[in-house]
Amino acid sequence: MLSPDLGRVEHLCHLDLSGNSLSGGLPATLLNATELRMLSLAGNAISGAQPLEQRARGAAAYACGLPAALCRLPCLVVLGLASNRFAGKLPIEGLETLELVDLSGNGFNSSLPSDFGGARLHLLNILSNKLAGVVSTELAALVPANATVDLSWNNFTDVIPQDGPFAAQPTAAYEGNPNLCGPPLKQACSIPLSLSNPPNTTDSPSVFAAIPKNPARAPPGAPRQPRPSISRMRGS
């Protein structure tokens, strides 16, 4: 279990406790670490936000979620919570300062909020969760076009936005979502009868060849290697 004393460490900037056997919730005192720039807790068994959210709401309301207040820490740049036991909804807003966000290998089961992004975001990795619904075009306008986005092995549906970073991702970033369609996937979308100009559903344009290939992905439950972009930040 994470000690409440962590949030009382003066001038705490980097906290990397990844690859341990930590469990339980995130201590409320962690929100006192207003100078925290990197938080990496990947590869543990942390199961939620308790007691970061208001206790009056009841344990069932917040025991598994990702607290919005954590995402809004004023200096936080790296948030690495991969391969834990977080579940429930993703928070809305609050990613303005974040550059690397890795929430892969958890149990988030909400939709992807249309404002879950920010102008500084370089990596958004949410593979192997239970997220569902459409990927909004509003989100495409918030995330830089050169960002790496991984939505694979979820339950997303409908058309992949062709704006922002989404059109620039390789096919592997969308695999495991059988109801997604449109480039870079080869699965064509159904064309409504009212459309006079059907969308282009041809194979990926040649610009995809210049994008570095993502590591091989496995279905949920298979062992995963840490994201290299997160691990490189530890030495900074």
Side-chain angles (χ1 to χ4, degrees):
M1 180 175 293
L2 290 171
S3 171
D5 292 334
L6 288 172
R8 302 186 180 102
V9 177
E10 190 174 3
H11 305 305
L12 180 63
C13 292
H14 288 197
L15 179 59
D16 186 352
L17 296 174
S18 57
N20 288 285
S21 299
L22 298 169
S23 60
L26 300 172
T29 54
L30 197 58
L31 297 180
N32 297 331
T34 55
E35 297 180 37
L36 189 64
R37 290 181 54 80
M38 186 193 83
L39 175 63
S40 181
L41 302 174
N44 285 287
I46 298 170
S47 58
Q50 187 178 4
L52 281 176
E53 300 292 348
Q54 297 177 0
R55 299 184 182 185
R57 295 172 56 192
Y62 59 82
C64 294
L66 175 64
L70 181 65
C71 298
R72 296 184 183 123
L73 285 174
C75 297
L76 193 64
V77 174
V78 176
L79 180 61
L81 301 178
S83 300
N84 278 284
R85 296 178 181 175
F86 288 91
K89 295 181 179 181
L90 292 174
I92 60 174
E93 300 180 331
L95 303 188
E96 286 82 2
T97 65
L98 286 166
E99 297 179 6
L100 304 178
V101 178
D102 190 348
L103 305 178
S104 60
N106 282 282
F108 292 107
N109 55 12
S110 64
S111 60
L112 182 59
S114 60
D115 51 7
F116 195 70
R120 300 182 183 181
L121 204 58
H122 295 162
L123 169 70
L124 177 60
N125 183 7
I126 53 176
L127 76 88
S128 290
N129 279 279
K130 299 177 182 179
L131 296 165
V134 301
V135 182
S136 71
T137 55
E138 290 83 359
L139 181 60
L142 290 179
V143 180
N146 61 351
T148 297
V149 178
D150 194 334
L151 309 183
S152 60
W153 299 104
N154 282 281
N155 296 308
F156 291 114
T157 59
D158 213 341
V159 184
I160 297 171
Q162 295 302 296
D163 300 312
F166 296 107
Q169 305 307 312
T171 302
Y174 301 108
E175 66 182 357
N177 294 279
N179 294 316
L180 269 181
C181 62
L185 298 176
K186 294 182 178 180
Q187 180 173 331
C189 299
S190 300
I191 302 174
L193 297 177
S194 59
L195 287 180
S196 57
N197 295 314
N200 180 11
T201 56
T202 58
D203 291 342
S204 307
S206 58
V207 69
F208 293 157
I211 300 174
K213 294 182 179 179
N214 287 353
R217 290 165 174 76
R224 300 181 180 278
Q225 298 296 322
R227 296 285 293 191
S229 52
I230 293 290
S231 61
R232 285 199 295 268
M233 293 294 295
R234 298 175 188 163
S236 59

